[in-house]
Amino acid sequence: MKRTLSIILITVILLSYCAIQPKAYTSVEIAYGLNLLRGTGSGLDEAYLSLSPTRSNAAMIILRLLGLENESLEFKQTDTFSDASSATGYWQPVLAYLYANPHIGFSGYGDNTFKPNDSINSQMLAKVLLTVLGYKQDTDFLWHNTLSFAESIGLKSLRDKSSITNSDVAIALVEALKIRTKEGYTLVTELVISDIIDINQAEKYGFIIENTEITIISAKVTSTKTITFEFFM
């Protein structure tokens, strides 16, 4: 009888343990589930994941994470890069938008070209993600040390990669979500605040969304014309 009870108890404990364990998602599943990577009509299948991302793809990552995707797709101006016609019609308003907004960080080359169909490497992707994290080339880092700077703030998955695929993009994107931006919050927190990522989806994949509200703890007069506030953010 005791042995039967022991077996039942062990079974209950094991079932309880299994029930509380969160599902382990891959970076590809997370990037797709958060709508950061969409792939082709077949989603993020093996064919898509094995492709090398292009400069157009990288530009769209910036626009999507900055909340500018729809604005760029609906852009009506026609001034654009001299080689924009080498891309498909889908990319035409996007390229014109980038041309009109060089401050976004994807301004093309000095000869007025963008080379939209060229593949990007790990250094270029790191620069894209650093831009989204609030860092600027030639201010916070130099082009030649892009990867080492990215690694110093926690973006390590692109290290020692001579070429990258869309699978590498998914891994780097998910890695970047956990990194604090130059403003101080994790990127995933800022994207939730900006309604770019749904908070329920973020929590489903195990992300912790930080509280961004400022609470005043105390206030006291410290001089004739000064009141000092102590706050928690």
Side-chain angles (χ1 to χ4, degrees):
M1 180 67 176
K2 289 184 179 179
R3 184 177 178 185
T4 302
L5 289 174
S6 297
I7 292 172
I8 292 173
L9 181 61
I10 291 171
T11 302
V12 170
I13 291 172
L14 287 174
L15 288 174
S16 299
Y17 177 80
C18 292
I20 63 174
Q21 297 307 301
K23 177 183 176 180
Y25 293 95
T26 66
S27 294
V28 170
E29 290 173 324
I30 296 172
Y32 187 67
L34 294 180
N35 202 31
L36 301 181
L37 281 185
R38 297 172 188 163
T40 60
S42 303
L44 303 188
D45 56 14
E46 289 301 320
Y48 173 81
L49 292 172
S50 64
L51 293 174
S52 296
T54 65
R55 282 176 52 80
S56 296
N57 298 143
M60 183 53 79
I61 290 173
I62 285 185
L63 294 169
R64 186 170 294 152
L65 295 181
L66 293 179
L68 299 172
E69 179 179 14
N70 290 336
E71 186 176 323
S72 69
L73 288 169
E74 296 169 1
F75 196 62
K76 302 300 182 184
Q77 295 183 28
T78 55
D79 289 344
T80 189
F81 298 100
S82 61
D83 62 344
S85 60
S86 64
T88 62
Y90 170 85
W91 292 108
Q92 298 310 311
V94 176
L95 293 172
Y97 185 82
L98 292 170
Y99 185 82
N101 296 278
H103 63 278
I104 290 173
F106 236 77
S107 56
Y109 296 94
D111 60 356
N112 201 39
T113 62
F114 188 83
K115 301 179 182 177
N117 303 313
D118 281 10
S119 297
I120 63 168
N121 56 29
S122 58
Q123 188 174 10
M124 293 177 184
L125 179 58
K127 192 250 179 158
V128 166
L129 295 177
L130 287 173
T131 299
V132 173
L133 287 164
Y135 296 98
K136 293 184 178 181
Q137 183 180 328
D138 299 327
T139 299
D140 301 298
F141 63 95
L142 299 175
W143 172 247
H144 72 270
N145 69 354
T146 302
L147 285 172
S148 59
F149 181 79
E151 186 175 353
S152 73
I153 65 167
L155 191 61
K156 302 178 180 181
S157 64
L158 297 173
R159 177 179 53 193
D160 301 327
K161 286 187 177 292
S162 56
S163 61
I164 59 173
T165 63
N166 285 322
S167 180
D168 296 313
V169 174
I171 293 170
L173 274 172
V174 173
E175 185 178 45
L177 292 176
K178 304 171 186 176
I179 297 174
R180 294 193 178 279
T181 69
K182 196 174 180 181
E183 296 298 320
Y185 294 109
T186 57
L187 179 59
V188 69
T189 296
E190 294 201 1
L191 294 180
V192 166
I193 293 171
S194 302
D195 291 327
I196 296 169
I197 287 179
D198 178 77
I199 187 170
N200 295 318
Q201 284 293 97
E203 291 177 340
K204 168 186 173 181
Y205 294 117
F207 292 101
I208 296 174
I209 308 305
E210 297 170 306
N211 183 357
T212 59
E213 295 180 357
I214 297 177
T215 303
I216 296 176
I217 298 173
S218 65
K220 59 184 177 180
V221 177
T222 51
S223 69
T224 306
K225 298 182 179 180
T226 305
I227 299 176
T228 300
F229 293 90
E230 181 181 357
F231 64 89
F232 174 78
M233 183 169 66

